[in-house]
Amino acid sequence: MRSLQPLLFTFLVHLSTPTTVTWMRNAVFNLPQNFVGGKLPCSKQTVLFPEELQEPIRLVGNVSVSEIILPNDGELYLDDVIIALGVDAEEQCEDDRQVEFKDVSYSSWEDPDVWYSEKFNEATPDAERVPCHEDIVLFPKNTQIDIELPKDTQYINMMIIGDTEVLDVDSLRANFSFDFILNDYWETGLAFVNTKCSSKAGCPCQINTPEIKCYKKNCPEPKCLYPIQPTGHCCKICGGSITFETTPSFNMVAFKETVDKIVGSYNRDQFVYHVSKLPQTWESFIDSTEREARNKFNDISGKVHVIVVEKGEYTGVSTEVINELYHSMSRMESKKLFLSGNPINMVGFGWKVFISALLIVMGIMGVIYVYYYRLPDHWIRNFSLNMSIPGRPVLSRFQRRTDSVLSLARRDSEVSRISTGGFRNPMYDSKRGRVVVTESVEEEE
């Protein structure tokens, strides 16, 4: 019995460890909607900041631009960032125009690109890029922005505004100097419930799926044939996904270990994956009690969603990973597999190889045919003379005689003794045993 205690403890920690989701809307340089035109600048473009910044702007990751025109008044935070100034020859950049950075002061709770968490990756659906019921929501200090609160109730663990902890709706209302905007029901749309997932089948991110603002997304063009759009994603992507119904015996922790093992059998650094429990109900705005909410989150029914994508350029290997996982799930019911097609740069590659090989073969056969059967006699003679130059190899196709006059006659006739040229049928010897030639002599009158 003692041996089971560490395993049980690990299981509960795995399911119940809260994560921090940070509001980044007013602080991030690397968001497409922060620029006029809705696209991130490239290495040929110049970034122009407003003359005055109302908020401190944070630069993270890799930034590659031609030039940055800084504001007269404002703050920029460099958070583990690499800034490359100048044109990158390998980058596909459309033009070298100037791009303006917008100092936006309004956003929505349900905008997926305003949140940051270490648990997010390229496979995470937009519907789960907002705070989940176990998350701690963090708003940095000196955040000055109008935030539209969600319409359908979203459950969170707690909220931290600057240095202040917010544990209930009343405390949230007391912090409305932060410029929260009530939803259509004149409510906050948030519920603070300390719900820890205790179901071995896993829990959904939220009971009520948030109304994600997909119209704000700048979806890149998928680099594959027949891209897929998994549940919760605003954009079509290249990769693979599986959805299936859970059973009373389903174990989310064991299933995630299986997924991780299969992904690791290929190249772990090449892929990212996301496993989650989908909401079972689609409710309107309802303020549930803590007990009701906890029961709903720990409901064993519902579907599980798996998404596997590649980190860099799409090669199609991610579909092989998800396909292997699909065939390993022999006991799961109502499985649905979604796979994107081949990379666009590989579309028709097989046909191109086949047609090229066919043209090469046809060309070789055509040369052989022309050379042996259709090449004029004077071309051959001239070619033979040209090849007879000293120091060059001599090509000889026929055993030619001194004359080009050919005659057909009986060997004992007068014509054969007179003629200075001759013709020898190369097929005669092979057929003489099978062909009987009959001669007829006309009598002289």
Side-chain angles (χ1 to χ4, degrees):
M1 190 68 178
R2 291 182 179 179
S3 61
L4 295 178
Q5 291 179 354
L7 179 62
L8 179 60
F9 176 77
T10 303
F11 170 77
L12 293 176
V13 169
H14 183 88
L15 291 180
S16 304
T17 302
T19 57
T20 300
V21 181
T22 306
W23 176 270
M24 302 289 287
R25 179 65 183 91
N26 63 313
V28 178
F29 175 89
N30 310 66
L31 292 178
Q33 62 266 31
N34 282 348
F35 294 88
V36 176
K39 293 183 179 180
L40 289 174
C42 64
S43 63
K44 292 183 180 179
Q45 296 173 334
T46 299
V47 176
L48 174 63
F49 282 98
E51 185 176 356
E52 294 184 2
L53 289 177
Q54 303 298 324
E55 313 269 350
I57 306 301
R58 180 176 299 175
L59 282 73
V60 297
N62 296 329
V63 176
S64 178
V65 295
S66 176
E67 185 180 4
I68 298 178
I69 301 177
L70 299 174
N72 289 331
D73 186 11
E75 296 181 11
L76 298 178
Y77 286 103
L78 306 183
D79 185 5
D80 192 20
V81 62
I82 298 176
I83 300 178
L85 298 178
V87 178
D88 184 358
E90 298 181 356
E91 184 180 13
Q92 296 180 354
C93 196
E94 296 179 357
D95 52 34
D96 55 357
R97 61 186 175 86
Q98 186 172 275
V99 181
E100 296 182 15
F101 182 88
K102 299 185 298 183
D103 191 11
V104 181
S105 60
Y106 174 84
S107 190
S108 170
W109 181 280
E110 296 168 311
D111 186 346
D113 290 330
V114 304
W115 301 100
Y116 167 79
S117 176
E118 294 181 353
K119 66 179 180 179
F120 297 161
N121 58 43
E122 292 89 335
T124 305
D126 294 291
E128 297 185 38
R129 288 182 178 270
V130 295
C132 294
H133 69 279
E134 291 184 343
D135 292 337
I136 299 173
V137 179
L138 173 62
F139 288 94
K141 293 182 179 180
N142 302 321
T143 301
Q144 297 176 358
I145 190 171
D146 295 335
I147 303 174
E148 180 184 358
L149 294 171
K151 179 181 178 180
D152 293 340
T153 303
Q154 301 293 292
Y155 297 90
I156 59 175
N157 189 335
M158 64 180 296
M159 181 185 296
I160 300 177
I161 302 177
D163 296 327
T164 304
E165 292 186 358
V166 179
L167 303 176
D168 52 45
V169 175
D170 293 335
S171 299
L172 178 62
R173 290 181 181 275
N175 285 272
F176 263 30
S177 58
F178 190 63
D179 294 331
F180 286 113
I181 300 175
L182 296 176
N183 57 30
D184 296 343
Y185 300 96
W186 291 91
E187 296 289 347
T188 63
L190 297 175
F192 295 81
V193 181
N194 186 14
T195 56
K196 295 183 178 180
C197 182
S198 59
S199 171
K200 70 174 185 178
C203 300
C205 174
Q206 290 289 346
I207 298 174
N208 304 316
T209 303
E211 295 183 2
I212 297 300
K213 311 299 182 183
C214 286
Y215 66 89
K216 294 185 178 181
K217 293 283 292 187
N218 179 33
C219 297
E221 188 68 23
K223 302 299 183 182
C224 61
L225 194 65
Y226 309 121
I228 63 174
Q229 188 171 1
T231 302
H233 274 267
C234 290
C235 304
K236 293 184 177 180
I237 63 173
C238 299
S241 68
I242 302 173
T243 58
F244 60 92
E245 294 282 354
T246 56
T247 61
S249 61
F250 179 73
N251 189 320
M252 178 64 83
V253 174
F255 179 72
K256 287 184 177 181
E257 291 176 352
T258 300
V259 176
D260 188 73
K261 181 179 179 180
I262 292 178
V263 171
S265 66
Y266 286 80
N267 185 351
R268 188 179 302 278
D269 297 333
Q270 185 180 351
F271 309 100
V272 290
Y273 65 90
H274 178 82
V275 182
S276 63
K277 186 82 170 288
L278 296 178
Q280 178 67 11
T281 58
W282 292 71
E283 302 178 8
S284 59
F285 180 82
I286 298 175
D287 281 327
S288 300
T289 64
E290 183 173 350
R291 178 177 297 179
E292 291 172 340
R294 185 177 292 108
N295 292 336
K296 290 178 181 178
F297 279 112
N298 290 287
D299 186 3
I300 194 172
S301 60
K303 294 182 179 180
V304 173
H305 198 195
V306 187
I307 304 172
V308 179
V309 299
E310 294 166 49
K311 290 183 179 179
E313 182 180 358
Y314 174 72
T315 62
V317 183
S318 55
T319 59
E320 298 179 15
V321 176
I322 201 74
N323 190 55
E324 181 176 340
L325 175 64
Y326 177 81
H327 289 289
S328 69
M329 299 162 52
S330 57
R331 298 181 180 179
M332 303 300 177
E333 299 180 355
S334 303
K335 295 183 298 181
K336 292 184 179 180
L337 175 66
F338 302 91
L339 301 174
S340 57
N342 293 326
I344 290 181
N345 57 0
M346 294 293 292
V347 173
F349 181 75
W351 279 106
K352 292 177 183 178
V353 173
F354 173 76
I355 293 175
S356 300
L358 181 62
L359 291 176
I360 293 174
V361 173
M362 291 177 62
I364 295 174
M365 296 300 294
V367 170
I368 295 175
Y369 178 79
V370 171
Y371 183 74
Y372 281 101
Y373 298 99
R374 295 294 184 183
L375 200 62
D377 188 70
H378 66 278
W379 286 14
I380 300 174
R381 182 166 57 253
N382 292 337
F383 181 74
S384 299
L385 292 175
N386 292 335
M387 294 296 292
S388 299
I389 299 175
R392 293 185 180 180
V394 178
L395 174 65
S396 178
R397 286 179 50 202
F398 300 101
Q399 295 179 354
R400 291 189 173 275
R401 301 192 181 185
T402 58
D403 197 5
S404 61
V405 178
L406 304 179
S407 64
L408 296 176
R410 291 176 54 186
R411 295 184 180 276
D412 57 350
S413 65
E414 295 294 330
V415 178
S416 64
R417 291 193 293 270
I418 297 174
S419 98
T420 58
F423 176 83
R424 183 176 181 180
N425 182 7
M427 301 298 293
Y428 178 77
D429 292 336
S430 63
K431 293 182 178 293
R432 63 184 301 175
R434 291 176 292 169
V435 180
V436 178
V437 179
T438 305
E439 299 182 0
S440 62
V441 181
E442 296 183 359
E443 295 182 359
E444 297 182 358
E445 295 182 357

